Tab-separated table of all heavy atoms in Angstrom:
chain	number	residue	atom	x	y	z
A	13	MET	N	34.016	53.519	30.839
A	13	MET	CA	33.406	52.972	29.655
A	13	MET	C	32.306	51.986	30.038
A	13	MET	O	32.314	51.439	31.129
A	13	MET	CB	34.451	52.276	28.802
A	13	MET	CG	35.490	53.199	28.198
A	13	MET	SD	36.707	52.324	27.224
A	13	MET	CE	35.765	51.999	25.747
A	14	THR	N	31.443	51.738	29.128
A	14	THR	CA	30.363	50.813	29.424
A	14	THR	C	30.808	49.386	29.259
A	14	THR	O	31.877	49.115	28.727
A	14	THR	CB	29.165	51.092	28.510
A	14	THR	OG1	29.557	50.884	27.162
A	14	THR	CG2	28.644	52.510	28.688
A	15	LYS	N	29.952	48.500	29.680
A	15	LYS	CA	30.271	47.072	29.669
A	15	LYS	C	30.223	46.512	28.257
A	15	LYS	O	30.983	45.606	27.919
A	15	LYS	CB	29.249	46.393	30.537
A	15	LYS	CG	29.396	44.952	30.693
A	15	LYS	CD	28.212	44.487	31.541
A	15	LYS	CE	28.420	43.157	32.179
A	15	LYS	NZ	27.305	42.749	33.002
A	16	ALA	N	29.353	46.999	27.399
A	16	ALA	CA	29.097	46.372	26.094
A	16	ALA	C	30.298	46.243	25.201
A	16	ALA	O	30.512	45.170	24.649
A	16	ALA	CB	27.978	47.136	25.409
A	17	PRO	N	31.121	47.265	24.986
A	17	PRO	CA	32.266	47.087	24.066
A	17	PRO	C	33.232	46.019	24.531
A	17	PRO	O	33.718	45.242	23.697
A	17	PRO	CB	32.943	48.444	24.045
A	17	PRO	CG	31.943	49.411	24.492
A	17	PRO	CD	31.046	48.674	25.431
A	18	PHE	N	33.499	45.947	25.804
A	18	PHE	CA	34.434	44.960	26.321
A	18	PHE	C	33.900	43.556	26.126
A	18	PHE	O	34.616	42.660	25.666
A	18	PHE	CB	34.717	45.201	27.810
A	18	PHE	CG	35.565	46.382	28.092
A	18	PHE	CD1	34.995	47.537	28.612
A	18	PHE	CD2	36.928	46.367	27.815
A	18	PHE	CE1	35.785	48.634	28.890
A	18	PHE	CE2	37.711	47.483	28.074
A	18	PHE	CZ	37.139	48.616	28.608
A	19	VAL	N	32.657	43.359	26.460
A	19	VAL	CA	32.048	42.014	26.342
A	19	VAL	C	31.944	41.591	24.888
A	19	VAL	O	32.246	40.462	24.530
A	19	VAL	CB	30.674	41.991	27.048
A	19	VAL	CG1	29.990	40.672	26.811
A	19	VAL	CG2	30.843	42.231	28.531
A	20	ALA	N	31.533	42.518	24.018
A	20	ALA	CA	31.388	42.209	22.609
A	20	ALA	C	32.727	41.847	21.953
A	20	ALA	O	32.843	40.867	21.235
A	20	ALA	CB	30.724	43.365	21.862
A	21	VAL	N	33.756	42.636	22.250
A	21	VAL	CA	35.074	42.376	21.704
A	21	VAL	C	35.633	41.049	22.238
A	21	VAL	O	36.181	40.247	21.479
A	21	VAL	CB	36.027	43.543	21.986
A	21	VAL	CG1	37.464	43.177	21.681
A	21	VAL	CG2	35.601	44.762	21.215
A	22	SER	N	35.454	40.818	23.528
A	22	SER	CA	35.963	39.580	24.108
A	22	SER	C	35.229	38.354	23.551
A	22	SER	O	35.849	37.351	23.233
A	22	SER	CB	35.813	39.644	25.627
A	22	SER	OG	36.317	38.453	26.209
A	23	ALA	N	33.922	38.462	23.393
A	23	ALA	CA	33.137	37.338	22.858
A	23	ALA	C	33.493	37.080	21.397
A	23	ALA	O	33.669	35.916	20.988
A	23	ALA	CB	31.648	37.625	22.977
A	24	ALA	N	33.676	38.114	20.613
A	24	ALA	CA	34.036	37.946	19.214
A	24	ALA	C	35.424	37.362	19.083
A	24	ALA	O	35.667	36.497	18.235
A	24	ALA	CB	33.960	39.290	18.498
A	25	THR	N	36.328	37.791	19.928
A	25	THR	CA	37.701	37.259	19.891
A	25	THR	C	37.746	35.807	20.296
A	25	THR	O	38.445	34.986	19.706
A	25	THR	CB	38.627	38.108	20.759
A	25	THR	OG1	38.479	39.478	20.388
A	25	THR	CG2	40.067	37.730	20.615
A	26	ALA	N	36.969	35.444	21.339
A	26	ALA	CA	36.912	34.055	21.773
A	26	ALA	C	36.250	33.188	20.687
A	26	ALA	O	36.673	32.046	20.472
A	26	ALA	CB	36.166	33.956	23.086
A	27	ALA	N	35.254	33.726	20.019
A	27	ALA	CA	34.615	32.957	18.938
A	27	ALA	C	35.591	32.734	17.780
A	27	ALA	O	35.614	31.633	17.204
A	27	ALA	CB	33.373	33.707	18.442
A	28	LEU	N	36.397	33.735	17.492
A	28	LEU	CA	37.431	33.565	16.470
A	28	LEU	C	38.442	32.496	16.862
A	28	LEU	O	38.871	31.680	16.061
A	28	LEU	CB	38.118	34.897	16.166
A	28	LEU	CG	39.190	34.879	15.117
A	28	LEU	CD1	38.665	34.420	13.765
A	28	LEU	CD2	39.825	36.258	15.005
A	29	GLY	N	38.804	32.508	18.162
A	29	GLY	CA	39.714	31.467	18.656
A	29	GLY	C	39.131	30.103	18.533
A	29	GLY	O	39.834	29.127	18.174
A	30	THR	N	37.836	29.955	18.805
A	30	THR	CA	37.165	28.671	18.671
A	30	THR	C	37.122	28.228	17.202
A	30	THR	O	37.384	27.047	16.892
A	30	THR	CB	35.752	28.770	19.237
A	30	THR	OG1	35.833	29.173	20.616
A	30	THR	CG2	35.040	27.436	19.160
A	31	ALA	N	36.809	29.150	16.320
A	31	ALA	CA	36.786	28.825	14.885
A	31	ALA	C	38.143	28.394	14.383
A	31	ALA	O	38.253	27.439	13.607
A	31	ALA	CB	36.252	30.021	14.104
A	32	LEU	N	39.166	29.084	14.837
A	32	LEU	CA	40.528	28.739	14.408
A	32	LEU	C	40.952	27.398	14.987
A	32	LEU	O	41.652	26.608	14.332
A	32	LEU	CB	41.488	29.836	14.802
A	32	LEU	CG	41.383	31.092	13.961
A	32	LEU	CD1	42.209	32.206	14.612
A	32	LEU	CD2	41.822	30.866	12.556
A	33	GLY	N	40.554	27.095	16.217
A	33	GLY	CA	40.866	25.800	16.789
A	33	GLY	C	40.178	24.667	16.020
A	33	GLY	O	40.761	23.623	15.778
A	34	SER	N	38.959	24.895	15.626
A	34	SER	CA	38.235	23.919	14.812
A	34	SER	C	38.907	23.759	13.462
A	34	SER	O	39.054	22.627	12.951
A	34	SER	CB	36.776	24.369	14.625
A	34	SER	OG	36.090	23.521	13.764
A	35	LEU	N	39.347	24.875	12.867
A	35	LEU	CA	40.047	24.785	11.603
A	35	LEU	C	41.336	24.005	11.732
A	35	LEU	O	41.700	23.223	10.855
A	35	LEU	CB	40.326	26.198	11.073
A	35	LEU	CG	41.148	26.285	9.791
A	35	LEU	CD1	40.402	25.637	8.617
A	35	LEU	CD2	41.491	27.728	9.468
A	36	ALA	N	42.050	24.188	12.838
A	36	ALA	CA	43.304	23.444	13.035
A	36	ALA	C	43.029	21.931	13.099
A	36	ALA	O	43.784	21.140	12.526
A	36	ALA	CB	43.980	23.921	14.323
A	37	LEU	N	41.950	21.574	13.773
A	37	LEU	CA	41.594	20.140	13.822
A	37	LEU	C	41.232	19.600	12.450
A	37	LEU	O	41.613	18.473	12.088
A	37	LEU	CB	40.448	19.914	14.811
A	37	LEU	CG	40.775	20.140	16.284
A	37	LEU	CD1	39.510	20.038	17.115
A	37	LEU	CD2	41.838	19.176	16.751
A	38	GLN	N	40.503	20.370	11.661
A	38	GLN	CA	40.140	19.945	10.315
A	38	GLN	C	41.370	19.865	9.410
A	38	GLN	O	41.466	18.938	8.601
A	38	GLN	CB	39.133	20.930	9.728
A	38	GLN	CG	37.768	20.844	10.379
A	38	GLN	CD	36.820	21.876	9.825
A	38	GLN	OE1	37.152	22.653	8.950
A	38	GLN	NE2	35.593	21.875	10.332
A	39	LEU	N	42.300	20.806	9.574
A	39	LEU	CA	43.519	20.760	8.762
A	39	LEU	C	44.324	19.511	9.122
A	39	LEU	O	44.902	18.863	8.239
A	39	LEU	CB	44.357	22.011	9.014
A	39	LEU	CG	43.842	23.304	8.384
A	39	LEU	CD1	44.668	24.476	8.859
A	39	LEU	CD2	43.858	23.198	6.877
A	40	ARG	N	44.378	19.149	10.401
A	40	ARG	CA	45.129	17.996	10.818
A	40	ARG	C	44.484	16.726	10.207
A	40	ARG	O	45.200	15.845	9.722
A	40	ARG	CB	45.181	17.884	12.320
A	40	ARG	CG	45.900	16.623	12.786
A	40	ARG	CD	46.275	16.697	14.203
A	40	ARG	NE	47.258	17.775	14.330
A	40	ARG	CZ	47.877	18.057	15.450
A	40	ARG	NH1	47.645	17.352	16.530
A	40	ARG	NH2	48.735	19.046	15.494
A	41	SER	N	43.172	16.643	10.255
A	41	SER	CA	42.518	15.451	9.732
A	41	SER	C	42.610	15.368	8.212
A	41	SER	O	42.602	14.279	7.636
A	41	SER	CB	41.056	15.411	10.169
A	41	SER	OG	40.352	16.423	9.572
A	42	ALA	N	42.772	16.505	7.535
A	42	ALA	CA	42.880	16.505	6.093
A	42	ALA	C	44.329	16.322	5.613
A	42	ALA	O	44.567	16.216	4.407
A	42	ALA	CB	42.323	17.816	5.520
A	43	GLY	N	45.285	16.323	6.538
A	43	GLY	CA	46.648	16.057	6.186
A	43	GLY	C	47.497	17.297	5.923
A	43	GLY	O	48.592	17.190	5.405
A	44	TYR	N	47.022	18.460	6.286
A	44	TYR	CA	47.779	19.682	6.104
A	44	TYR	C	48.551	20.017	7.351
A	44	TYR	O	48.375	21.066	7.995
A	44	TYR	CB	46.866	20.855	5.726
A	44	TYR	CG	46.231	20.715	4.371
A	44	TYR	CD1	44.905	20.297	4.235
A	44	TYR	CD2	46.956	21.003	3.233
A	44	TYR	CE1	44.340	20.166	2.990
A	44	TYR	CE2	46.381	20.870	1.975
A	44	TYR	CZ	45.072	20.450	1.860
A	44	TYR	OH	44.517	20.332	0.627
A	45	GLU	N	49.472	19.132	7.729
A	45	GLU	CA	50.214	19.284	8.977
A	45	GLU	C	51.060	20.548	9.035
A	45	GLU	O	51.315	21.097	10.107
A	45	GLU	CB	51.107	18.074	9.214
A	45	GLU	CG	50.355	16.791	9.517
A	45	GLU	CD	49.673	16.825	10.872
A	45	GLU	OE1	50.195	17.468	11.790
A	45	GLU	OE2	48.599	16.205	10.975
A	46	GLN	N	51.530	21.009	7.914
A	46	GLN	CA	52.402	22.174	7.900
A	46	GLN	C	51.692	23.457	8.341
A	46	GLN	O	52.359	24.414	8.754
A	46	GLN	CB	53.078	22.396	6.531
A	46	GLN	CG	52.152	22.791	5.415
A	46	GLN	CD	51.578	21.628	4.639
A	46	GLN	OE1	51.493	20.510	5.166
A	46	GLN	NE2	51.231	21.859	3.382
A	47	TYR	N	50.355	23.474	8.287
A	47	TYR	CA	49.608	24.673	8.692
A	47	TYR	C	49.016	24.576	10.075
A	47	TYR	O	48.554	25.581	10.633
A	47	TYR	CB	48.471	24.943	7.679
A	47	TYR	CG	48.964	25.100	6.260
A	47	TYR	CD1	48.626	24.165	5.290
A	47	TYR	CD2	49.747	26.177	5.922
A	47	TYR	CE1	49.084	24.314	3.989
A	47	TYR	CE2	50.193	26.357	4.625
A	47	TYR	CZ	49.873	25.405	3.671
A	47	TYR	OH	50.328	25.550	2.397
A	48	VAL	N	48.968	23.395	10.632
A	48	VAL	CA	48.274	23.183	11.915
A	48	VAL	C	48.891	23.982	13.019
A	48	VAL	O	48.192	24.643	13.790
A	48	VAL	CB	48.249	21.667	12.274
A	48	VAL	CG1	47.719	21.448	13.666
A	48	VAL	CG2	47.398	20.917	11.268
A	49	GLU	N	50.196	24.013	13.129
A	49	GLU	CA	50.849	24.686	14.245
A	49	GLU	C	50.590	26.196	14.234
A	49	GLU	O	50.277	26.776	15.275
A	49	GLU	CB	52.355	24.425	14.226
A	49	GLU	CG	53.067	25.037	15.417
A	49	GLU	CD	54.554	24.772	15.387
A	49	GLU	OE1	55.020	23.967	14.558
A	49	GLU	OE2	55.250	25.345	16.254
A	50	SER	N	50.679	26.806	13.096
A	50	SER	CA	50.469	28.259	13.042
A	50	SER	C	49.009	28.621	13.305
A	50	SER	O	48.726	29.621	13.972
A	50	SER	CB	50.956	28.840	11.708
A	50	SER	OG	50.301	28.215	10.640
A	51	VAL	N	48.099	27.847	12.782
A	51	VAL	CA	46.650	28.136	13.032
A	51	VAL	C	46.318	27.903	14.500
A	51	VAL	O	45.603	28.697	15.125
A	51	VAL	CB	45.754	27.265	12.107
A	51	VAL	CG1	44.300	27.427	12.463
A	51	VAL	CG2	45.978	27.658	10.652
A	52	ALA	N	46.858	26.830	15.082
A	52	ALA	CA	46.614	26.557	16.505
A	52	ALA	C	47.231	27.652	17.391
A	52	ALA	O	46.621	28.055	18.393
A	52	ALA	CB	47.157	25.190	16.861
A	53	THR	N	48.408	28.132	17.009
A	53	THR	CA	49.042	29.197	17.785
A	53	THR	C	48.210	30.467	17.723
A	53	THR	O	48.009	31.136	18.729
A	53	THR	CB	50.444	29.471	17.240
A	53	THR	OG1	51.222	28.277	17.340
A	53	THR	CG2	51.142	30.586	18.001
A	54	PHE	N	47.694	30.799	16.544
A	54	PHE	CA	46.850	31.962	16.401
A	54	PHE	C	45.554	31.821	17.215
A	54	PHE	O	45.054	32.804	17.750
A	54	PHE	CB	46.574	32.244	14.934
A	54	PHE	CG	46.017	33.613	14.668
A	54	PHE	CD1	46.731	34.731	14.952
A	54	PHE	CD2	44.731	33.752	14.160
A	54	PHE	CE1	46.217	36.003	14.750
A	54	PHE	CE2	44.196	34.995	13.941
A	54	PHE	CZ	44.946	36.119	14.210
A	55	SER	N	45.054	30.601	17.283
A	55	SER	CA	43.853	30.334	18.095
A	55	SER	C	44.128	30.639	19.571
A	55	SER	O	43.328	31.288	20.252
A	55	SER	CB	43.410	28.881	17.919
A	55	SER	OG	42.376	28.559	18.812
A	56	VAL	N	45.277	30.197	20.055
A	56	VAL	CA	45.649	30.474	21.453
A	56	VAL	C	45.824	31.969	21.669
A	56	VAL	O	45.425	32.497	22.697
A	56	VAL	CB	46.896	29.690	21.833
A	56	VAL	CG1	47.453	30.109	23.181
A	56	VAL	CG2	46.608	28.190	21.837
A	57	VAL	N	46.409	32.657	20.700
A	57	VAL	CA	46.578	34.104	20.828
A	57	VAL	C	45.222	34.802	20.920
A	57	VAL	O	45.065	35.760	21.696
A	57	VAL	CB	47.421	34.651	19.628
A	57	VAL	CG1	47.363	36.154	19.561
A	57	VAL	CG2	48.838	34.159	19.718
A	58	MET	N	44.238	34.314	20.205
A	58	MET	CA	42.896	34.924	20.294
A	58	MET	C	42.280	34.718	21.672
A	58	MET	O	41.663	35.604	22.204
A	58	MET	CB	41.992	34.335	19.206
A	58	MET	CG	42.320	34.751	17.786
A	58	MET	SD	42.202	36.517	17.515
A	58	MET	CE	43.901	37.030	17.653
A	59	TYR	N	42.472	33.526	22.266
A	59	TYR	CA	41.948	33.275	23.607
A	59	TYR	C	42.664	34.170	24.662
A	59	TYR	O	42.015	34.723	25.547
A	59	TYR	CB	42.110	31.818	24.013
A	59	TYR	CG	41.055	30.923	23.404
A	59	TYR	CD1	41.413	29.875	22.579
A	59	TYR	CD2	39.709	31.136	23.654
A	59	TYR	CE1	40.471	29.039	22.038
A	59	TYR	CE2	38.761	30.309	23.095
A	59	TYR	CZ	39.138	29.262	22.294
A	59	TYR	OH	38.166	28.467	21.739
A	60	VAL	N	43.955	34.342	24.511
A	60	VAL	CA	44.689	35.206	25.431
A	60	VAL	C	44.230	36.657	25.253
A	60	VAL	O	44.067	37.364	26.237
A	60	VAL	CB	46.218	35.055	25.211
A	60	VAL	CG1	47.003	36.112	25.941
A	60	VAL	CG2	46.668	33.663	25.618
A	61	THR	N	44.036	37.077	24.021
A	61	THR	CA	43.545	38.438	23.772
A	61	THR	C	42.174	38.664	24.398
A	61	THR	O	41.907	39.695	25.001
A	61	THR	CB	43.485	38.728	22.257
A	61	THR	OG1	44.790	38.500	21.722
A	61	THR	CG2	43.043	40.122	21.984
A	62	ALA	N	41.287	37.665	24.279
A	62	ALA	CA	39.968	37.774	24.902
A	62	ALA	C	40.067	37.912	26.411
A	62	ALA	O	39.358	38.700	27.041
A	62	ALA	CB	39.114	36.569	24.531
A	63	ALA	N	40.969	37.138	27.011
A	63	ALA	CA	41.162	37.225	28.461
A	63	ALA	C	41.727	38.596	28.848
A	63	ALA	O	41.328	39.184	29.875
A	63	ALA	CB	42.113	36.129	28.906
A	64	LEU	N	42.658	39.130	28.074
A	64	LEU	CA	43.205	40.444	28.374
A	64	LEU	C	42.171	41.546	28.222
A	64	LEU	O	42.219	42.548	28.956
A	64	LEU	CB	44.422	40.709	27.479
A	64	LEU	CG	45.664	39.859	27.828
A	64	LEU	CD1	46.748	40.150	26.790
A	64	LEU	CD2	46.144	40.148	29.212
A	65	VAL	N	41.264	41.419	27.291
A	65	VAL	CA	40.174	42.402	27.162
A	65	VAL	C	39.295	42.380	28.421
A	65	VAL	O	38.894	43.416	28.950
A	65	VAL	CB	39.330	42.138	25.884
A	65	VAL	CG1	38.073	42.950	25.894
A	65	VAL	CG2	40.138	42.446	24.653
A	66	LEU	N	39.032	41.182	28.933
A	66	LEU	CA	38.239	41.090	30.167
A	66	LEU	C	39.003	41.688	31.355
A	66	LEU	O	38.403	42.344	32.217
A	66	LEU	CB	37.857	39.650	30.442
A	66	LEU	CG	36.835	39.051	29.516
A	66	LEU	CD1	36.573	37.584	29.841
A	66	LEU	CD2	35.557	39.838	29.542
A	67	VAL	N	40.312	41.497	31.402
A	67	VAL	CA	41.119	42.105	32.458
A	67	VAL	C	41.049	43.634	32.348
A	67	VAL	O	40.926	44.344	33.372
A	67	VAL	CB	42.563	41.600	32.405
A	67	VAL	CG1	43.499	42.458	33.259
A	67	VAL	CG2	42.643	40.145	32.812
A	68	ALA	N	41.122	44.157	31.145
A	68	ALA	CA	41.011	45.585	30.944
A	68	ALA	C	39.654	46.102	31.392
A	68	ALA	O	39.547	47.200	31.957
A	68	ALA	CB	41.243	45.930	29.469
A	69	TRP	N	38.594	45.325	31.138
A	69	TRP	CA	37.248	45.715	31.587
A	69	TRP	C	37.186	45.756	33.111
A	69	TRP	O	36.631	46.708	33.679
A	69	TRP	CB	36.233	44.722	31.042
A	69	TRP	CG	34.856	44.924	31.550
A	69	TRP	CD1	34.148	46.101	31.626
A	69	TRP	CD2	33.984	43.911	32.065
A	69	TRP	NE1	32.904	45.861	32.176
A	69	TRP	CE2	32.776	44.560	32.413
A	69	TRP	CE3	34.086	42.550	32.228
A	69	TRP	CZ2	31.708	43.823	32.956
A	69	TRP	CZ3	33.039	41.836	32.748
A	69	TRP	CH2	31.879	42.481	33.118
A	70	VAL	N	37.764	44.774	33.786
A	70	VAL	CA	37.745	44.756	35.242
A	70	VAL	C	38.550	45.937	35.787
A	70	VAL	O	38.102	46.624	36.710
A	70	VAL	CB	38.315	43.428	35.757
A	70	VAL	CG1	38.577	43.497	37.273
A	70	VAL	CG2	37.364	42.304	35.448
A	71	ARG	N	39.692	46.179	35.189
A	71	ARG	CA	40.498	47.307	35.665
A	71	ARG	C	39.871	48.648	35.377
A	71	ARG	O	40.042	49.595	36.129
A	71	ARG	CB	41.891	47.237	35.022
A	71	ARG	CG	42.740	46.093	35.571
A	71	ARG	CD	44.128	46.063	35.006
A	71	ARG	NE	44.830	47.353	35.169
A	71	ARG	CZ	45.622	47.640	36.204
A	71	ARG	NH1	45.791	46.735	37.151
A	71	ARG	NH2	46.209	48.795	36.285
A	72	ASP	N	39.105	48.739	34.303
A	72	ASP	CA	38.398	49.996	33.980
A	72	ASP	C	37.287	50.298	34.968
A	72	ASP	O	36.956	51.427	35.202
A	72	ASP	CB	37.852	49.944	32.553
A	72	ASP	CG	37.219	51.256	32.163
A	72	ASP	OD1	37.940	52.267	32.121
A	72	ASP	OD2	36.005	51.236	31.894
A	73	GLY	N	36.699	49.231	35.528
A	73	GLY	CA	35.592	49.416	36.463
A	73	GLY	C	36.028	49.859	37.855
A	73	GLY	O	35.226	50.303	38.639
A	74	ARG	N	37.321	49.723	38.133
A	74	ARG	CA	37.828	50.140	39.432
A	74	ARG	C	37.943	51.653	39.526
A	74	ARG	O	38.173	52.313	38.502
A	74	ARG	CB	39.189	49.480	39.683
A	74	ARG	CG	39.068	47.977	39.787
A	74	ARG	CD	40.354	47.245	39.793
A	74	ARG	NE	41.427	47.861	40.513
A	74	ARG	CZ	42.696	47.459	40.459
A	74	ARG	NH1	43.026	46.434	39.700
A	74	ARG	NH2	43.620	48.047	41.160
A	75	PRO	N	37.792	52.208	40.680
A	75	PRO	CA	37.937	53.657	40.819
A	75	PRO	C	39.350	54.127	40.487
A	75	PRO	O	40.336	53.445	40.786
A	75	PRO	CB	37.610	53.943	42.282
A	75	PRO	CG	37.334	52.651	42.927
A	75	PRO	CD	37.479	51.552	41.944
A	76	HIS	N	39.451	55.279	39.864
A	76	HIS	CA	40.717	55.813	39.449
A	76	HIS	C	41.265	56.747	40.538
A	76	HIS	O	40.539	57.548	41.085
A	76	HIS	CB	40.583	56.596	38.134
A	76	HIS	CG	40.091	55.765	37.000
A	76	HIS	ND1	40.859	54.828	36.377
A	76	HIS	CD2	38.870	55.702	36.414
A	76	HIS	CE1	40.165	54.234	35.450
A	76	HIS	NE2	38.937	54.742	35.438
A	77	ALA	N	42.535	56.585	40.859
A	77	ALA	CA	43.178	57.483	41.818
A	77	ALA	C	43.966	58.555	41.090
A	77	ALA	O	44.510	58.291	40.026
A	77	ALA	CB	44.122	56.674	42.739
A	78	ASN	N	44.006	59.734	41.685
A	78	ASN	CA	44.756	60.816	41.042
A	78	ASN	C	46.188	60.824	41.559
A	78	ASN	O	46.551	60.785	42.613
A	78	ASN	CB	44.111	62.162	41.329
A	78	ASN	CG	42.829	62.280	40.517
A	78	ASN	OD1	42.725	61.680	39.474
A	78	ASN	ND2	41.894	63.089	40.996
């Protein structure tokens, strides 16, 4: 596969993780403590997903053995 889909998906997922992290901080400052943990957890999941997409890209670039 080409490089573009992996990079685009990883960048979009990391951007979503950043947006969710920012939302968690805003929720905490606004007093919505009951939602902060779940939003922050989802933010971390997005960062892990972005990292796993990059791992898949690296593994896809390696030669395949039969």
Side-chain angles (χ1 to χ4, degrees):
M13 293 179 76
T14 62
K15 181 184 200 179
F18 288 106
V19 174
V21 168
S22 182
T25 307
L28 180 60
T30 302
L32 288 169
S34 175
L35 176 63
L37 292 174
Q38 290 176 0
L39 287 172
R40 178 165 294 187
S41 67
Y44 292 103
E45 291 291 328
Q46 67 268 26
Y47 302 114
V48 171
E49 184 179 352
S50 58
V51 172
T53 301
F54 194 63
S55 173
V56 170
V57 168
M58 290 298 100
Y59 281 121
V60 170
T61 303
L64 289 175
V65 168
L66 290 178
V67 167
W69 173 48
V70 168
R71 290 183 54 92
D72 184 61
R74 295 170 38 191
H76 300 286
N78 287 333

